[in-house]
Amino acid sequence: SYVLTQPPSVSVAPGQTAKITCGGDDIGGNSVHWYQQKPGQAPVLVVFDDKDRPSGIPERFSGSNSANTATLTISRVEAGDEADYYCQVWDRDSDDYVFGTGTKVTVL
Amino acid sequence: QITLKESGPTLVKPTQTLTLTCIFSGFSLNTSGVGVGWIRQPPGKALEWLALIYWNDDKRYRPSLKSRLSITKDTSKNQVVLTMTNIDPADTATYYCTHSWATPTYFDFWGQGTLVTVSS
């Protein structure tokens, strides 16, 4: 089955930039979606189709995807961005929706 | 405004069958492209997709759980039901209902989730 690997944690100071990676075999050939999950809450879609943002998501959230790594970038990080972040793809070989292992973003 | 809400038992015994209901509003499962799905999250662990049902009654299941899952819809009641058989303590998780559009897809709206504990 297809595996998506994320770093367990990323720490960033307020106002700085956080980069969260999502590694997978030829992930650049897939559409990658990203979710933010704050403690005790349901996930929220923050980026879809590699780089598009749903309505209401700040421009500070951006995405890219190439080769074997997709990246979610959070610019000008705020305390409210502290959360777990998950990447997700559809694995066409197994017709399975796969989530990454998750990354906890801590704002210092 | 799209909303989804899950309901079901909070405690289930091993080997029993779990039935979860999702009642939604703000969209119709008769609309081309629309799907409703289920995703779960064991305590402290990552998200895990379970099943999806589309407007045309196309159904998709997590391959490793396909034999234990069943998803159905009742468009007149704006309701989707997930059934999981032969429940095990490893199935303890928060179960989320989700809205999707198009296939393959992403999950753009989520319910609040319902915690199901499997224990004797």
Side-chain angles (χ1 to χ4, degrees):
Chain A
S1 61
Y2 194 73
V3 176
L4 295 175
T5 302
Q6 300 180 234
S9 62
V10 167
S11 297
V12 58
Q16 299 304 303
T17 297
K19 289 185 180 292
I20 305 162
T21 58
C22 175
D25 185 32
D26 192 29
I27 195 173
N30 290 356
S31 291
V32 179
H33 321 295
W34 291 90
Y35 302 86
Q36 175 195 68
Q37 186 179 30
K38 295 181 179 180
Q41 298 184 19
V44 172
L45 180 71
V46 293
V47 166
F48 66 96
D49 290 347
D50 296 340
K51 57 179 177 53
D52 294 330
R53 284 183 313 277
S55 174
I57 300 301
E59 292 183 6
R60 301 185 298 103
F61 289 84
S62 62
S64 64
N65 184 19
S66 179
N68 295 313
T69 304
T71 303
L72 175 69
T73 300
I74 311 173
S75 304
R76 302 180 299 283
V77 165
E78 303 174 356
D81 299 331
E82 193 162 276
D84 293 328
Y85 291 83
Y86 294 93
C87 56
Q88 176 247 311
V89 302
W90 173 66
D91 177 24
R92 61 178 58 86
D93 290 337
S94 60
D95 193 18
D96 190 7
Y97 290 92
V98 180
F99 286 91
T101 49
T103 297
K104 181 176 181 59
V105 170
T106 299
V107 181
L108 301 170
Chain B
Q1 177 193 4
I2 290 177
T3 65
L4 307 104
K5 187 168 185 178
E6 309 85 351
S7 63
T10 57
L11 182 63
V12 182
K13 290 183 176 4
T15 75
Q16 288 186 336
T17 294
L18 171 66
T19 299
L20 295 171
T21 301
C22 173
I23 295 179
F24 56 85
S25 63
F27 66 95
S28 171
L29 248 181
N30 284 321
T31 301
S32 179
V34 171
V36 172
W38 290 91
I39 291 167
R40 71 180 179 182
Q41 185 174 37
K45 296 188 177 181
L47 301 164
E48 186 175 83
W49 172 73
L50 297 176
L52 254 175
I53 187 166
Y54 288 100
W55 85 104
N56 59 357
D57 211 37
D58 183 17
K59 303 171 185 179
R60 303 299 172 95
Y61 297 101
R62 183 179 186 82
S64 61
L65 294 174
K66 189 172 184 177
S67 63
R68 298 175 53 207
L69 295 174
S70 175
I71 190 169
T72 60
K73 63 181 175 68
D74 185 334
T75 53
S76 66
K77 296 182 180 178
N78 279 358
Q79 179 175 294
V80 169
V81 174
L82 179 74
T83 301
M84 181 182 293
T85 60
N86 194 23
I87 286 291
D88 180 88
D91 296 313
T92 293
T94 295
Y95 287 76
Y96 295 100
C97 178
T98 63
H99 169 278
S100 300
W101 185 85
T103 174
T105 190
Y106 47 84
F107 310 100
D108 52 2
F109 293 92
W110 298 59
Q112 64 188 23
T114 185
L115 175 62
V116 178
T117 300
V118 182
S119 174
S120 54

